[in-house]
Amino acid sequence: MAMIRALRLLADRQVALTERDDPPDPGPNEVQLRVRAVGLNHIDVWGFRGMAFAKRIYPLTVGAETSCEVAGIGNGVTNVKPGDRVVPYSALTCGTCPACMNGRDNLCENVAGLRGFHVDGFAQDLTNHPARLLVKIPDAVSMQDAACVAVAYGTVEHMLFDNAQLQPGEWVLVHAGGSGIGSIAIRIAKSIGCTVITTVGSADKAGKASALGADHVINYREDRFEGVVRKLTRKKGVDVVFEHTGADTWAGSLLSMKRGGRLVTCGATSGPIGSLNLMQLFQQQYRITGSFGAPMSALARGLDRIASGVRPVIDTVYGLADFRAGVDRLETRDVFGKILVEL
């Protein structure tokens, strides 16, 4: 039997490039995908550390975010054909529960796991996937850029528009502007005419964030960002806070919002526990929304936005054998934009 390469976790923090059997021919309503690029995210770091928050069995093929070409189709597949370029939706949703039927895929009541985190992922030459969980890549979008969509770009689209309902002309505070999702959020918010304030941790990142279009950049190692935000907005505060860093920024984020402001959060990389003054919450009429993943519609919107010219920032591209170096770089936060692995 023919063999393919697969990057697999053998145990916590132990990853190896291995060979495994080719996947079988795609079954009914399945496609076989040739993987071209994989995007790295903090979810890969958590998975690498063993923080999967669910039972899983090693060895486990890594990679939750990818761009692929359709290599073959099974019986009943009509939405794609061999040669099509696609982004697969990483969560194995049921497709039949009320959330799925209403286009809220990331709230699926019967999800079978996230690929690359709970079940085998995409860091392998070939893999099979349900045909219904594919989004076609527009001709104007490169495979590298498309590899930033399933987790990062989709998450930002869902946070800013489905949840925070960001409007043109509003003020938005984007934390960690050098991160994959932070850099994308800056570009998207600027593309619709918002005033963007962002936080970064170094002078080098400050320059890069300004070059992306951020109107005001705060080095959080030198200044208390909430104080600077209050001054910039003349004590009014921002309309929207794009939060994903967690404990270190939580209290300051609440102080940075205007009355009736909206905070949307998808992460807690600096810690999961933050306090909340309930009087502040109801008196200021804040709206705080948790956001995890994205519906498939957000992936399609993200691809269209990239096709229009609002592209993700690529920090580094590694080969498949150098996946560990990419994860290490992501862990140190010495990164500006997205890290990719090409196959």
Side-chain angles (χ1 to χ4, degrees):
M1 179 176 285
M3 306 291 285
I4 61 169
R5 299 174 302 160
L7 193 62
R8 312 189 86 185
L9 268 176
L10 307 180
D12 292 353
R13 292 188 175 275
Q14 184 180 344
V15 66
L17 184 58
T18 66
E19 287 192 338
R20 64 184 303 183
D21 292 340
D22 269 358
D25 291 338
N29 301 313
E30 275 191 338
V31 299
Q32 188 162 101
L33 301 173
R34 185 169 300 280
V35 179
R36 294 305 187 190
V38 172
L40 298 189
N41 301 276
H42 277 286
I43 198 168
D44 297 290
V45 174
W46 296 335
F48 181 67
R49 293 172 179 168
M51 299 164 63
F53 315 113
K55 292 182 179 180
R56 58 183 182 171
I57 299 174
Y58 291 129
L60 177 79
T61 303
V62 300
E65 182 179 51
T66 187
S67 58
C68 307
E69 293 175 359
V70 177
I73 61 174
N75 291 334
V77 174
T78 59
N79 59 320
V80 293
K81 63 183 184 302
D84 282 350
R85 303 183 315 143
V86 295
V87 168
Y89 191 65
S90 309
L92 298 176
T93 57
C94 69
T96 58
C97 71
C100 287
M101 295 297 289
N102 288 322
R104 305 181 73 188
D105 318 77
N106 55 323
L107 290 176
C108 175
E109 298 172 9
N110 306 296
V111 64
L114 182 68
R115 294 200 59 174
F117 195 59
H118 305 117
V119 296
D120 276 346
F122 296 105
Q124 53 189 323
D125 291 314
L126 291 169
T127 186
N128 292 350
H129 197 70
R132 65 182 175 83
L133 298 179
L134 298 174
V135 181
K136 287 186 180 180
I137 301 172
D139 292 340
V141 177
S142 72
M143 293 297 267
Q144 281 193 358
D145 286 354
C148 304
V149 167
V151 175
Y153 225 103
T155 294
V156 176
E157 282 281 334
H158 186 49
M159 289 177 70
L160 289 182
F161 300 109
D162 297 339
N163 288 323
Q165 298 180 352
L166 183 67
Q167 299 297 315
E170 290 191 311
W171 285 66
V172 56
L173 170 62
V174 175
H175 281 299
S179 65
I181 63 172
S183 57
I184 292 168
I186 291 171
R187 279 196 162 165
I188 290 178
K190 285 304 300 179
S191 75
I192 66 167
C194 292
T195 299
V196 177
I197 305 171
T198 192
T199 61
V200 296
S202 69
D204 177 63
K205 289 185 177 181
K208 291 177 178 178
S210 293
L212 276 185
D215 298 280
H216 306 283
V217 182
I218 304 168
N219 186 332
Y220 63 82
R221 300 185 190 278
E222 298 177 351
D223 296 294
R224 291 179 64 89
F225 71 85
E226 61 269 36
V228 178
V229 170
R230 301 298 294 182
K231 289 179 182 178
L232 290 171
T233 60
R234 298 181 181 180
K235 299 184 179 180
K236 187 177 181 180
V238 298
D239 299 282
V240 170
V241 175
F242 182 90
E243 170 66 74
H244 56 109
T245 56
D248 287 355
T249 54
W250 182 254
S253 291
L254 295 176
L255 291 171
S256 298
M257 280 194 288
K258 68 185 295 185
R259 194 177 188 202
R262 294 100 71 195
L263 182 150
V264 61
T265 180
C266 75
T269 54
S270 67
I273 306 300
S275 62
L276 179 62
N277 183 320
L278 295 179
M279 291 186 67
Q280 179 189 20
L281 173 65
F282 65 71
Q283 287 179 349
Q284 294 298 101
Q285 301 179 57
Y286 292 154
R287 283 173 280 173
I288 299 174
T289 306
S291 187
F292 185 78
M296 285 186 66
S297 60
L299 273 60
R301 296 197 312 266
L303 285 164
D304 287 342
R305 203 178 296 276
I306 294 172
S308 74
V310 187
R311 298 179 56 205
V313 179
I314 308 298
D315 176 273
T316 312
V317 180
Y318 291 96
L320 188 60
D322 297 320
F323 172 88
R324 173 64 187 267
V327 170
D328 288 346
R329 183 170 173 81
L330 198 57
E331 278 194 293
T332 66
R333 302 186 186 180
D334 183 23
V335 57
F336 193 94
K338 286 286 293 180
I339 296 176
L340 301 182
V341 174
E342 282 194 326
L343 276 71

